[in-house]
Structures are given as C-alpha cells and as structure tokens.
Amino acid sequence: MKYARGERRCGLVASSGAARLRAFGIETSMAIREAYSYPHWFLKPRGDIRASYQLEVVATEFEIQGLELDMAGLCWGGDLVWDRSSKCWHPFQLSGNKWKDVKESRAIYIQNKYRVLMTRAREGLVIWVPEGESSDPTRDVGVMNDTAEYLVSCGVVRLAQTAAGGQFNED
C-alpha cells in the first residue's frame, strides 16, 4: 500500500466466513488465527515479517474489532454478496463445497462483520473483490462482479488498470 508511508500502519482484513479467499492464498480459518500472534501483527515495525505491513496475514472481525489501522485492505468474500435481482445483500455460509442461505439472525451477524471491517481504517480503505472463477461454483463470476459493481455505484472508486495488469489509483 503505497500510501502507508512512515509510521502509518497498514494491513489486510477479511471476514472469518470468507473461506473461499483460500483460493487466493488468504486464509481466514480459525486454526490459522489461533496459531498466529496478532500482538506481533499489530505492534511489530515495518520490515518484521510478523507485522501487518507484510500484507501476508489477514485479521478478521475477531482480531480487528475495537482496533484500527491507518490504511486497510478489505478482502471481500463470498459470504456477503450483492443480489442484483432482489437489490439487497445476500449473506451465505460455506457448507462443504457450496454456499448456503443462513437464518435471519445469522444474516444480521454477517452484515455486521462487514460493517466492522469497513470501519477499521482511519485514513484509507481499499476494497478488493476477487474475480470469480467459472469452473468453481463457490466463486461465481456474476455474483462477484455484481458485488463489485454495486460497491462502485455506492461511491467506491475503481482502481485504474495498468498496462502490466496491476492496479493503482492516481488520486
């Protein structure tokens, strides 16, 4: 994150229910989180491989609640997606190899997780909605595109595409 210069702390955050981020090397499982030292993640300086600056380990709503980063990268998961036809957020829970609907009481909890994650950055937030994969029903291309497009319609600024395929924002 190029804007996290000097003493500004940056890091990645994700929903604990975003299990299919694993396909991108982002692990949100409880076993990983229990084995990781989050005090190091929050406190170690730039250059320490255990620090949030490395952008290698995500903090979920459990580790980040009540704490803040200067700059946060939110890795969006398939557990909360925009349903274009009903024009509302649709929360899911991964069960085996498919996303399943959740009860209304659980739906409120999932929506609240994203509220927590979206409010952890003091200076800037980058939201990454991964592209779907047509051969993987747990990473539906249309659903992820609809989610990204809805966020843009709400005012999220799309990052510009570089010739090399990377993304950046000139603003």
Side-chain angles (χ1 to χ4, degrees):
M1 300 185 114
K2 76 178 187 177
Y3 295 106
R5 294 185 184 121
E7 297 300 315
R8 291 183 178 133
R9 180 156 297 271
C10 64
L12 298 175
V13 297
S15 163
S16 61
R20 291 305 295 138
L21 289 175
R22 180 178 294 145
F24 300 93
I26 299 170
E27 186 58 62
T28 62
S29 73
M30 186 172 288
I32 294 291
R33 293 190 340 264
E34 287 177 347
Y36 195 77
S37 175
Y38 280 94
H40 290 308
W41 192 88
F42 279 105
L43 299 172
K44 291 298 181 183
R46 192 179 300 274
D48 189 309
I49 62 169
R50 299 167 291 178
S52 65
Y53 294 108
Q54 293 298 111
L55 304 178
E56 293 179 354
V57 174
V58 297
T60 70
E61 69 277 8
F62 297 112
E63 292 82 29
I64 199 79
Q65 188 157 2
L67 300 169
E68 294 178 328
L69 298 166
D70 296 306
M71 307 293 291
L74 170 54
C75 305
W76 203 276
D79 57 334
L80 185 65
V81 295
W82 181 253
D83 184 345
R84 184 171 35 166
S85 63
S86 65
K87 296 185 174 160
C88 66
W89 288 105
H90 197 139
F92 290 102
Q93 184 171 354
L94 190 65
S95 178
N97 63 353
K98 62 174 76 169
W99 292 104
K100 295 198 174 181
D101 290 324
V102 296
K103 295 179 182 175
E104 188 174 335
S105 60
R106 179 98 176 115
I108 293 167
Y109 171 72
I110 293 170
Q111 290 174 347
N112 190 54
K113 287 195 293 187
Y114 279 85
R115 182 199 58 79
V116 167
L117 295 170
M118 292 177 78
T119 59
R120 297 304 90 192
R122 287 187 285 256
E123 294 183 30
L125 175 68
V126 173
I127 300 173
W128 172 64
V129 179
E131 290 183 358
E133 171 58 50
S134 60
S135 65
D136 182 348
T138 65
R139 296 188 293 139
D140 184 278
V141 174
V143 168
M144 297 315 283
N145 286 344
D146 288 349
T147 301
E149 289 302 320
Y150 181 71
L151 290 168
V152 168
S153 76
C154 291
V156 172
V157 177
R158 186 183 303 274
L159 297 177
Q161 189 77 27
T162 67
Q167 295 188 346
F168 68 98
N169 188 350
E170 298 261 351
D171 298 335

